[in-house]
Amino acid sequence: MQKITKEKIEENENNTDKVLNLCKNARTFIRTRNPRQAEPLLFEALEISPQNPYVLVALGDAKRMQKQFTTSAKYYELCLGADPLNPFAMSGLGDAYRGSNNLDGAIDIWSQALDAYPENYLVMTRLADALTKKGDLVTARKIYEKAIKLNPEDPFALSGLGNLLVRLKEFDLSRPFLEKLVIKQPQNPRAIGALANFYRRQEDFSNAKALFNRILDIDPNNVYAMDGLADCARGNKDYEKAKQLWGKAMAAGMNPAIAKTRIADACLQMQQFTQARQYYDQVLAMSEDRFALFGRLRLIEAEPGDERNKIIDAAQILSRLFALNPSDDRTINEFNVFRTRYPEIDTYIQA
């Protein structure tokens, strides 16, 4: 009996060592962003140790890196079945939920993770980011601020809180976080872009342009920087330059509907009415884009023409906007402006 027991112990020890070595080698592939090469090693480890949390989390990570979020979530959930408070599985499961656009699920699991591990600032920034996307800026701000206190150097907390404060128009408070982020990550286009956007929002187009150009020095095809430069040109009322930059951004991969709508807006500012209409109509041929519809509405107001035709055209555009969202504040405001000027528009809207 002693001999059998000893052999069994040795077998278990050998299996444990094998699983650890397989996972170690698999993690090397995951760290170098080669998750497919990690998978055979992890599946072999899983056969030996089916409930091993380390193996299950690694498989979840490998699948998540390949954007296989449903499968990824399954492995994290299996891990939590065996180890309910595993911090890596809780964090990863939230990432998998976020990847599959289940933001509520991500918020729920990350909230549970913070209850279990109140000082996990990596989960804090994930949760705050998700809450920001859901529009709960007050709660997100508190969580970001707590993360900053725990780790003042964390780039995700610096970026998240800095950008959130820009959205809240608390520019004096946001600036130190965004500047510190760029100091820490001087070659990171996203960090530089956040500070550039800060300056752009304050209409400091000179500093914004310098930073957007700095991004293009690092990444010549960065669409965000091209769009930012175009917006700065628009802010400086250099609409022709803005048109050129948005055209360049579109060629580099910017969403055509967004780029063409902005080019049309610039044409409208220069009273290039025919060109503006062409661009708006190109966008509307692709989809009922609300910004293109609003642009067409502004075009109707600006372009010379017969008053009755203006009313009919405006009624058609407003009807399309109401069909998209009958309770949209901007649509209602635009309708009220036209109704004040042309009371008879109600007849055409109802028709």
Side-chain angles (χ1 to χ4, degrees), residues 14-30 37-49 54-55 58:
N14 289 335
N15 285 340
T16 299
D17 289 342
K18 186 174 183 179
V19 168
L20 288 173
N21 286 329
L22 287 167
C23 286
K24 182 179 178 181
N25 292 332
R27 275 291 172 192
T28 299
F29 286 123
I30 290 173
Q37 291 176 270
E39 285 186 2
L41 303 175
L42 294 170
F43 285 129
E44 185 178 348
L46 193 65
E47 287 185 12
I48 300 168
S49 184
Y54 192 57
V55 177

Side-chain angles (χ1 to χ4, degrees), residues 151-167:
N151 184 2
E153 306 299 316
D154 182 67
F156 298 105
L158 291 170
S159 173
L161 183 56
N163 284 315
L164 186 149
L165 291 169
V166 169
R167 285 184 61 178

Side-chain angles (χ1 to χ4, degrees), residues 3-166:
K3 184 178 179 182
I4 295 173
T5 302
K6 183 179 178 182
E7 289 175 351
K8 190 67 175 175
I9 291 171
E10 288 176 352
E11 181 184 350
N12 288 339
E13 288 175 348
N14 289 335
N15 285 340
T16 299
D17 289 342
K18 186 174 183 179
V19 168
L20 288 173
N21 286 329
L22 287 167
C23 286
K24 182 179 178 181
N25 292 332
R27 275 291 172 192
T28 299
F29 286 123
I30 290 173
R31 279 194 299 272
T32 56
R33 308 201 72 77
N34 293 297
R36 289 185 181 179
Q37 291 176 270
E39 285 186 2
L41 303 175
L42 294 170
F43 285 129
E44 185 178 348
L46 193 65
E47 287 185 12
I48 300 168
S49 184
Q51 292 187 310
N52 188 306
Y54 192 57
V55 177
L56 291 167
V57 167
L59 271 168
D61 292 347
K63 292 296 185 183
R64 179 169 52 81
M65 287 179 69
Q66 298 174 75
K67 301 187 185 301
Q68 298 175 21
F69 298 116
T70 300
T71 306
S72 172
K74 180 189 76 173
Y75 286 114
Y76 292 130
E77 288 164 353
L78 285 170
C79 177
L80 292 172
D83 183 8
L85 294 179
N86 186 292
F88 304 105
M90 297 176 92
S91 176
L93 182 57
D95 287 337
Y97 285 154
R98 177 177 57 186
S100 58
N101 295 317
N102 180 5
L103 210 54
D104 290 332
I107 289 171
D108 183 58
I109 191 66
W110 284 330
S111 297
Q112 292 179 45
L114 273 188
D115 287 340
Y117 306 99
E119 296 193 351
N120 188 335
Y121 63 85
L122 296 176
V123 169
M124 285 180 193
T125 55
R126 285 171 162 84
L127 177 58
D129 179 61
L131 289 167
T132 299
K133 290 177 180 175
K134 291 285 289 185
D136 188 353
L137 303 186
V138 174
T139 306
R141 178 176 182 170
K142 291 177 182 177
I143 296 172
Y144 277 132
E145 288 172 342
K146 186 175 181 181
I148 288 281
K149 286 181 180 178
L150 289 168
N151 184 2
E153 306 299 316
D154 182 67
F156 298 105
L158 291 170
S159 173
L161 183 56
N163 284 315
L164 186 149
L165 291 169
V166 169

Side-chain angles (χ1 to χ4, degrees), residues 12 62 204-205 207 211 253 299 309 336 339:
N12 288 339
D204 183 350
F205 299 120
N207 276 320
L211 288 168
L299 179 61
N309 288 334
N336 287 334
R339 175 189 271 170

Side-chain angles (χ1 to χ4, degrees), residues 277 297 299-315 338 341-342 344-345 348:
R277 185 184 301 102
L297 205 56
L299 179 61
I300 291 167
E301 291 181 89
E303 193 173 17
D306 177 76
E307 182 176 299
R308 183 171 179 276
N309 288 334
K310 280 179 175 283
I311 295 170
I312 294 171
D313 290 344
F338 265 91
R341 193 177 306 165
Y342 309 113
E344 61 269 36
I345 196 170
Y348 294 97

Side-chain angles (χ1 to χ4, degrees), residues 284-326:
L284 293 170
M286 293 185 280
S287 68
E288 284 288 86
D289 185 281
R290 65 189 293 269
F291 296 106
L293 287 169
F294 282 127
R296 287 285 279 111
L297 205 56
R298 292 195 302 274
L299 179 61
I300 291 167
E301 291 181 89
E303 193 173 17
D306 177 76
E307 182 176 299
R308 183 171 179 276
N309 288 334
K310 280 179 175 283
I311 295 170
I312 294 171
D313 290 344
Q316 290 176 346
I317 297 297
L318 286 163
S319 295
R320 291 164 73 176
L321 283 164
F322 278 122
L324 287 175
N325 184 355

